[in-house]
Amino acid sequence: MRKFFALACLGSLLLLTAQAYAEEEDSDLPDWAEEEVEPFRARVGNWVDNTSRNIDAFFGGDRYNDTSTNESYLRLGQEIDWMEGEGVDGDISVRYRIDLPTTEERLRLVIESDPEESQGTLTEQGSGRLYNDQRDRRNSTFGLDWLEDRDKRENWSNRFGAGVRLRLPLDPYVRFTSERLWDIGDGPWQLESFNRLSWFNNDGYSARTEWDIGRPLSENRHLRFITNVQWREEEDTLEFSEIAEINQRLNKRSALRYSAIALGESASNPRMTNYYLQTRYRRDIHKGIMFADVIPELHFQREVSYDPRWAMTLRLEMYFQREISRDYFGR
């Protein structure tokens, strides 16, 4: 399996270079590979979807609705990561979410592999170069979320959750999330706020707020400025980041993101710990289910006296779900 994903990743990158601006089809794969991938994708995607719906029907009883929206997915990925002075790292990652939307009105049973609170410090999250479930594979959670029936464009949209992290000893948690979206005047600017307060028995409290202001620059380009502030009792340090980025769609299956990022910490004695520039090229190499990323970065880190260091990530992902999504650069 590891060799297969490594070879597929390298082969995909060759296709990226050759076809970035080529006339678009639905797939870069040769016919023989597509004939192998499609039946496998359909079987596994339907299995993921049907499994979650069957569980939901068991709990939901008469309230179960087979036509309801289902956000369950399984994602397999191969990532190769290199940082100057640190060598090469990489792994196969598996992430999943079982979403049971009809258990009760606005009550949702959720099983997921990688809760937001397990994503580490802002520095560790930073570039997103290494998946967080590669750092700790014991972060699966099982819980209930209660969602308010509100449009975040008109009111604060809140979500309350509680459950356990599935490792021994079991780690109970409580979580509150609130989101809001504003249109700024009559212009194209929008401001979005995401806020989360959590408590895990083993890790203590954590809090995070994100403010994202952006506007389209053209039909294919979008500008964003993102501010993050995070505190985790486990680290007992206030962290903050500032991000400026431009997202550009090259064609219907390729996109680029240009980012300038600054990371810092401490409230009493603020200091910057890392500045870096990042370009992320992402291509849909097969019908919205298989994606490849090339992510070069240039870092200026405080721990090495801000000497420039290069980094590079190559990534291949395959999604299994009933409904295909082409959200290239989601949260």
Side-chain angles (χ1 to χ4, degrees):
M1 177 69 76
R2 184 184 296 270
K3 291 183 178 179
F4 168 78
F5 273 99
L7 291 173
C9 186
L10 294 175
S12 299
L13 296 177
L14 295 176
L15 289 171
L16 298 180
T17 304
Q19 300 193 20
Y21 292 94
E23 190 69 25
E24 296 299 308
E25 301 292 339
D26 283 336
S27 177
D28 294 333
L29 300 180
D31 291 342
W32 64 266
E34 186 172 347
E35 291 174 358
E36 295 292 329
V37 167
E38 272 301 308
F40 177 64
R41 193 277 310 170
R43 288 195 302 270
V44 178
N46 286 333
W47 175 81
V48 171
D49 187 86
N50 291 334
T51 298
S52 64
R53 290 180 184 275
N54 289 337
I55 297 173
D56 201 20
F58 176 80
F59 285 102
D62 295 338
R63 293 180 297 274
Y64 173 71
N65 179 6
D66 187 59
T67 63
S68 60
T69 301
N70 193 309
E71 299 177 1
S72 300
Y73 68 85
L74 170 68
R75 184 173 75 187
L76 302 179
Q78 166 69 52
E79 186 165 295
I80 301 172
D81 177 81
W82 171 79
M83 167 71 82
E84 186 176 358
E86 297 182 7
V88 178
D89 197 1
D91 201 358
I92 292 175
S93 63
V94 179
R95 300 183 73 177
Y96 59 86
R97 177 185 174 93
I98 299 177
D99 181 66
L100 309 178
T102 62
T103 312
E104 285 283 355
E105 184 179 2
R106 296 195 299 275
L107 192 64
R108 193 167 291 230
L109 184 61
V110 177
I111 306 169
E112 60 182 333
S113 63
D114 190 21
E116 295 169 346
E117 292 83 356
S118 70
Q119 295 178 5
T121 65
L122 291 181
T123 300
E124 291 171 333
Q125 296 171 34
S127 60
R129 288 167 51 239
L130 274 179
Y131 281 138
N132 297 294
D133 56 340
Q134 290 175 224
R135 301 186 182 101
D136 189 345
R137 299 181 186 277
R138 302 169 298 163
N139 283 319
S140 295
T141 59
F142 177 91
L144 284 170
D145 283 359
W146 183 82
L147 292 72
E148 289 186 340
D149 187 18
R150 292 181 177 179
D151 185 346
K152 66 179 180 180
R153 292 177 177 272
E154 299 178 356
N155 298 282
W156 285 95
S157 177
N158 301 318
R159 177 191 294 243
F160 301 87
V164 293
R165 185 150 50 186
L166 299 176
R167 63 184 184 188
L168 294 177
L170 292 177
D171 187 11
Y173 72 86
V174 178
R175 175 191 296 149
F176 170 73
T177 303
S178 186
E179 299 180 75
R180 188 73 162 88
L181 178 63
W182 297 272
D183 292 317
I184 301 178
D186 297 326
W189 290 93
Q190 287 188 321
L191 174 63
E192 185 171 8
S193 177
F194 173 86
N195 307 277
R196 187 192 67 233
L197 177 64
S198 306
W199 172 81
F200 278 76
N201 184 59
N202 291 344
D203 299 334
Y205 292 94
S206 67
R208 178 170 181 169
T209 182
E210 177 179 296
W211 295 81
D212 181 345
I213 184 170
R215 57 160 294 172
L217 298 177
S218 66
E219 183 179 352
N220 296 318
R221 292 186 301 158
H222 194 276
L223 173 67
R224 297 172 68 192
F225 298 97
I226 306 167
T227 299
N228 282 291
V229 179
Q230 177 173 283
W231 176 82
R232 301 168 70 222
E233 186 176 4
E234 188 178 25
E235 300 288 334
D236 196 22
T237 299
L238 187 71
E239 308 168 89
F240 52 89
S241 69
E242 295 288 344
I243 304 171
E245 65 181 39
I246 294 177
N247 296 293
Q248 179 181 3
R249 183 176 289 277
L250 302 178
N251 48 51
K252 70 177 184 179
R253 292 200 291 121
S254 300
L256 272 172
R257 170 180 287 172
Y258 309 94
S259 303
I261 299 133
L263 296 167
E265 62 183 21
S266 179
S268 58
N269 183 28
R271 62 177 187 175
M272 305 309 296
T273 58
N274 190 7
Y275 301 91
Y276 63 95
L277 303 174
Q278 180 192 87
T279 300
R280 179 179 175 186
Y281 174 70
R282 185 164 176 83
R283 183 166 176 83
D284 172 4
I285 62 176
H286 183 66
K287 297 184 178 180
I289 63 169
M290 187 178 292
F291 294 85
D293 294 284
V294 181
I295 311 173
E297 298 174 347
L298 180 61
H299 286 255
F300 302 87
Q301 295 172 305
R302 181 185 180 92
E303 63 184 26
V304 292
S305 302
Y306 300 108
D307 290 336
R309 294 205 301 175
W310 288 98
M312 172 69 77
T313 296
L314 309 178
R315 180 185 300 156
L316 180 68
E317 297 176 326
M318 191 167 184
Y319 291 81
F320 299 95
Q321 56 193 127
R322 176 174 289 184
E323 296 181 2
I324 293 174
S325 173
R326 286 184 166 88
D327 182 12
Y328 289 100
F329 296 124
R331 183 185 297 277

